[in-house]
Amino acid sequence: MALTRAEEVMYSSGAHPRHRHAPEFEEGVAFMFGEYVPVEQAGVPITDTGFMQADGTYDVVSVSKGMFFRLEDHLDRFERGCDLFRMRNPYSRQQMREICENLVRLSGFQDAYVWYGVTRGQMPHTDRNDVNLYECQFYAFVIPYLFIADDQMREKGLALHVSQSYIRIPEHAVDPRAKNFHWMDLKLSLFEARDKGHDWSVLLDVDGNLTECPGANIFFIKDGRICTPANGCLEGITRLATFELAKEVGLELEVGRFHVSALEAADEIFLTSTAGGIIPVGSLGGKPIASNRENAYTRRMHDLYWTKRWAGWHGTPVAYD
Amino acid sequence: MALTRAEEVMYSSGAHPRHRHAPEFEEGVAFMFGEYVPVEQAGVPITDTGFMQADGTYDVVSVSKGMFFRLEDHLDRFERGCDLFRMRNPYSRQQMREICENLVRLSGFQDAYVWYGVTRGQMPHTDRNDVNLYECQFYAFVIPYLFIADDQMREKGLALHVSQSYIRIPEHAVDPRAKNFHWMDLKLSLFEARDKGHDWSVLLDVDGNLTECPGANIFFIKDGRICTPANGCLEGITRLATFELAKEVGLELEVGRFHVSALEAADEIFLTSTAGGIIPVGSLGGKPIASNRENAYTRRMHDLYWTKRWAGWHGTPVAYD
């Protein structure tokens, strides 16, 4: 059973040709302080607390075949993130839509990774503990689409490593429902995974329950039930899409608390991410996944995800020049 | 018993006059990509993982009366932080010393806050999980000295709030011994404190033990013993200096694990920070500190800290133009 070959479509120059764009936007486009600039020239002020103190929230929406995927869901989540972190987005919902579309239009990318975020900006001189004195800043950029796992890795299935050295930052410290810059635990667990010869990592909470992976949610399937953590993780938009796809393929959904031992007994495991959709896992800690079903459900949902997206599912088309 | 009035000395224009500096460096000076630039023009590339993923480590060293304080201790700690986070500092120890001194010299500040950090830089195109493929970047800047609490607040004593809504990011997620950008728990606890009418916050771990405050370590004194957490906190340089001062005033030091209830029963409480030295606490959760000793030990250590610093204690003089 072969996977839909997303990479071929996305990266081969013939398939989704890049639209017209100004030469200075070859690498991508950024929007900051009200202007569109080449992405490699975009600099965040070194004293912005978004840099010095990871004091910001962000989101990433993907574009494939010239269509945003679930743009409104991403904008909804971003609004909730701003509320959770007490940030005031200087732009309205409609302005956000326009900025996102302008970025993609100016870049000409048909397959794109659109990042936008709000930081708390500079520390106020008078009272840095008064949340109302901060003037939040908005930043955004577009670059070519990024895949956590290319076609070959997805075909084979990711080699997943359960981090032994790091736990995920708990929700009572930094709420993961607000997408945030706090990635050190995630990054170091990725390096740990690679050191051991694996591709990606999953982090547990202090009690050994599943939380999330760097930039991805985790799912597993056991006896016709599809399971994913309720807490300690981002409420991913591809995770949300997977809830719909799971219903379509006849799986029963359970969103709850799952000990890592449930993962070890799973029939199928996969990750979901805006950066790559549905990503089959081939091994856990070096051992092949228990099932002899060859990730049958995962593959069906993977292919459904892309074929539906390319047919316009939850899509917002970009008006290119 | 009055405190040594540090602010008068630091901020009154007559006391520590600013040395000669180029007009473009009026606000401060930054060093990045090998050049010295006005701080307000220094921009971190928006796609640097130091911004997008808080993937960096930093340190702050202070200058008072034209002298760095414990510069070598700061550089030691920064080296340990780079090791803990698997960062390669592109500059040598001697180059770091020169950059720090150049920044202060160019700024002309006699009382300064010198920030330097290393980020993991851009995500590699080939394999972002291979730690060796990242090209780490170095950034630094100097601005005028910052006080967590000015003379008036220190004289009165900070109103300290024990955060109810946030726990500190645990050491098994992100090791606080490597000074890092993960500040959201700290920032939100500061806003929570201010909402309740207090000045500063202290965060506990999941078991209710003391960890640290935003940008500061916490100490308390009880029956001639001075106590501070061993774990879950930055190994502060002012904390280290306080160990020496405690000995000088005849206190017995205990570095260990302390439940928040010990704080509630303390005779004296204070914070330590590069941004302000030793900072007396006047109330905890709105209640005055139990002691009727008027923070006698704290005040002695506060005054010792500044008078010794100004006499050259652990000082490295800056060679101004």
Side-chain angles (χ1 to χ4, degrees), chain B residues 179-198:
Chain B
K179 201 163 165 67
N180 62 70
F181 301 159
H182 293 59
W183 268 72
M184 187 60 79
D185 50 342
L186 303 171
K187 288 297 282 284
L188 292 177
S189 76
L190 278 178
F191 301 145
E192 175 194 359
R194 178 52 41 99
D195 288 345
K196 293 179 190 291
H198 306 310

Side-chain angles (χ1 to χ4, degrees), chain B residues 145-205:
Chain B
Y145 189 72
L146 289 174
F147 261 105
I148 281 185
D150 62 20
D151 273 12
Q152 202 183 348
M153 283 170 85
R154 290 204 314 284
E155 184 63 45
K156 192 177 162 205
L158 277 187
L160 189 65
H161 171 72
V162 179
S163 180
Q164 307 298 309
S165 304
Y166 306 98
I167 58 165
R168 182 66 180 123
I169 294 172
E171 55 197 335
H172 298 301
V174 182
D175 194 329
R177 292 174 304 165
K179 201 163 165 67
N180 62 70
F181 301 159
H182 293 59
W183 268 72
M184 187 60 79
D185 50 342
L186 303 171
K187 288 297 282 284
L188 292 177
S189 76
L190 278 178
F191 301 145
E192 175 194 359
R194 178 52 41 99
D195 288 345
K196 293 179 190 291
H198 306 310
D199 295 320
W200 215 258
S201 55
V202 58
L203 286 95
L204 310 180
D205 67 16

Side-chain angles (χ1 to χ4, degrees), chain A residues 49 59 67 83 141 162 187 203 209 220 235 255 306 312:
Chain A
T49 56
D59 214 317
M67 285 178 289
D83 288 346
F141 65 87
V162 179
K187 288 296 283 285
L203 286 95
N209 297 308
F220 66 92
E235 293 175 343
V255 182
W306 288 110

Side-chain angles (χ1 to χ4, degrees), chain A residues 13 33 80 115 262:
Chain A
S13 56
F33 304 124
R80 293 194 302 272
W115 185 105

Side-chain angles (χ1 to χ4, degrees), chain A residues 110-292:
Chain A
Q110 281 214 68
D111 308 297
Y113 178 98
V114 183
W115 185 105
Y116 51 85
V118 165
T119 72
R120 215 173 308 271
Q122 302 292 324
M123 246 178 270
H125 285 292
T126 45
D127 181 357
R128 64 177 133 155
N129 297 354
D130 184 345
V131 67
N132 299 310
L133 293 182
Y134 285 81
E135 198 177 314
C136 293
Q137 297 296 325
F138 180 88
Y139 302 95
F141 65 87
V142 60
I143 53 175
Y145 189 72
L146 288 175
F147 261 105
I148 280 185
D150 62 20
D151 274 11
Q152 203 183 347
M153 282 169 86
R154 291 204 312 285
E155 185 63 44
K156 192 179 162 202
L158 277 188
L160 189 65
H161 171 72
V162 179
S163 181
Q164 307 298 308
S165 304
Y166 306 98
I167 58 165
R168 183 68 180 119
I169 294 172
E171 54 198 335
H172 299 302
V174 182
D175 193 329
R177 292 174 302 164
K179 201 164 165 65
N180 62 70
F181 301 158
H182 293 59
W183 268 72
M184 188 60 79
D185 50 343
L186 303 172
K187 288 296 283 285
L188 292 178
S189 77
L190 278 177
F191 301 145
E192 175 194 359
R194 178 51 41 98
D195 287 343
K196 294 180 189 291
H198 306 310
D199 296 320
W200 215 257
S201 55
V202 59
L203 286 95
L204 310 180
D205 67 16
V206 70
D207 299 316
N209 297 308
L210 296 173
T211 64
E212 62 185 341
C213 308
N217 288 112
I218 188 157
F219 285 80
F220 66 92
I221 299 171
K222 179 70 179 176
D223 300 334
R225 274 191 321 139
I226 181 168
C227 305
T228 197
N231 300 109
C233 61
L234 180 73
E235 293 175 343
I237 303 298
T238 313
R239 172 177 177 266
L240 180 67
T242 302
F243 294 169
E244 299 174 19
L245 297 175
K247 197 172 174 184
E248 205 164 326
V249 301
L251 288 165
E252 190 190 333
L253 176 66
E254 188 177 343
V255 182
R257 190 175 296 269
F258 301 101
H259 192 262
V260 63
S261 54
L263 199 66
E264 288 155 8
D267 296 330
E268 303 183 26
I269 304 174
F270 63 94
L271 317 186
T272 61
S273 172
T274 287
I278 290 177
I279 304 156
V281 169
S283 65
L284 183 70
K287 290 185 206 162
I289 307 304
S291 168
N292 57 4

